Amino acid sequence: MRKHYHKQQIANRELDIEQVRKQQLENARVKIEETLSQANEAGDTRSAKQLEELVSALQQAEQANCPAILLDQCTLELPANSVIGVSNPPFIINVLNDPFFLDCCITPVQVSASTPCGEVGGVTVNEVKAVGYLNYYFNVEFDTFFNDGESNCAAVNRLPFSCSGTTCANEVLCYASVKESDPCPDFCNFNVQSFAIFLDGSIVDNKASLTYLIVHLLPECNGENG
């Protein structure tokens, strides 16, 4: 009886985690849709197209059993009186990532399976997870008065301002047959795509804060579409 109760506790906990995860993805999609509306209003067709593709990717992820997406946030703090254009930051930015510290973990687990005769328990499959962490970095370029006093402090330079961080990973990518020799995807070679989506900005006195939602799209398992 205790063993059955423990299994039920684990199942309930996994269900709670799955529901939280799906809610996070839904919230992220809604925020990206809001940024998409802003890009359309501003007539920024290039950003709007990228955002539309990202919304489509999140919609597919919400329907998937194992959404291969990592989420994060990064905030830039800028001295507003020395930086021009902080009130109109870019809507979406391609983000550089370093997936070297992402590992693929394969663990045999027992699950139930649907058969013509009903649910059958005790079926062993391989749980394939992305674990570890993903470092990321991106630049936002603005015109600035950081000029060492050139032209009586009036010279304007175009300079990059950076935001970087680390996103932890512990995501199930798929459940593969134990007969599958290598279900792990390749995290290198441009297979992890990362984006920064503008969420919110504020200017108080001489301080500007720009917050971006970070979205990492992880690759699917090998043979998943085969």
Side-chain angles (χ1 to χ4, degrees):
M1 184 68 179
R2 179 179 295 179
K3 185 176 181 181
H4 175 74
Y5 177 71
H6 181 62
K7 285 184 177 180
Q8 187 62 45
Q9 278 187 314
I10 294 174
N12 290 341
R13 184 170 180 270
E14 290 176 348
L15 181 61
D16 289 342
I17 293 173
E18 180 183 350
Q19 290 174 342
V20 169
R21 179 65 173 151
K22 286 190 176 294
Q23 186 62 54
Q24 290 174 336
L25 287 175
E26 181 181 353
N27 292 342
R29 175 180 52 78
V30 170
K31 290 176 180 177
I32 295 173
E33 288 174 340
E34 291 173 355
T35 305
L36 172 59
S37 296
Q38 295 174 26
N40 283 326
E41 290 175 5
D44 188 343
T45 55
R46 183 177 180 180
S47 294
K49 183 178 179 181
Q50 277 191 290
L51 289 164
E52 285 174 355
E53 293 173 351
L54 198 52
V55 167
S56 178
L58 261 73
Q59 287 174 335
Q60 293 178 19
E62 286 182 76
Q63 298 170 2
N65 292 327
C66 302
I69 290 181
L70 302 177
L71 301 173
D72 209 336
Q73 281 193 11
C74 200
T75 299
L76 292 92
E77 295 187 351
L78 308 170
N81 290 341
S82 294
V83 181
I84 304 170
V86 292
S87 58
N88 296 294
F91 294 111
I92 183 169
I93 303 167
N94 292 325
V95 174
L96 294 172
N97 63 58
D98 178 9
F100 181 79
F101 303 100
L102 276 182
D103 292 319
C104 182
C105 179
I106 301 176
T107 306
V109 296
Q110 287 195 336
V111 297
S112 60
S114 296
T115 73
C117 300
E119 293 287 327
V120 175
V123 178
T124 300
V125 296
N126 280 332
E127 181 183 72
V128 183
K129 299 181 75 173
V131 298
Y133 58 93
L134 181 68
N135 291 328
Y136 64 87
Y137 164 89
F138 66 93
N139 280 333
V140 186
E141 289 193 347
F142 291 106
D143 290 333
T144 81
F145 292 107
F146 288 116
N147 54 31
D148 292 329
E150 184 182 354
S151 300
N152 294 320
C153 299
V156 174
N157 290 324
R158 185 78 172 175
L159 296 175
F161 295 85
S162 64
C163 202
S164 61
T166 299
T167 305
C168 293
N170 186 28
E171 298 297 319
V172 176
L173 299 176
C174 69
Y175 289 91
S177 168
V178 292
K179 296 180 180 179
E180 180 70 44
S181 60
D182 184 19
C184 285
D186 180 9
F187 295 126
C188 299
N189 301 308
F190 306 103
N191 285 321
V192 177
Q193 300 179 55
S194 302
F195 305 91
I197 297 90
F198 178 67
L199 288 183
D200 188 42
S202 64
I203 301 176
V204 179
D205 296 328
N206 184 36
K207 180 180 178 181
S209 295
L210 306 177
T211 301
Y212 280 83
L213 170 69
I214 310 300
V215 179
H216 307 288
L217 305 180
L218 302 180
E220 296 179 337
C221 293
N222 288 339
E224 211 172 358
N225 293 323

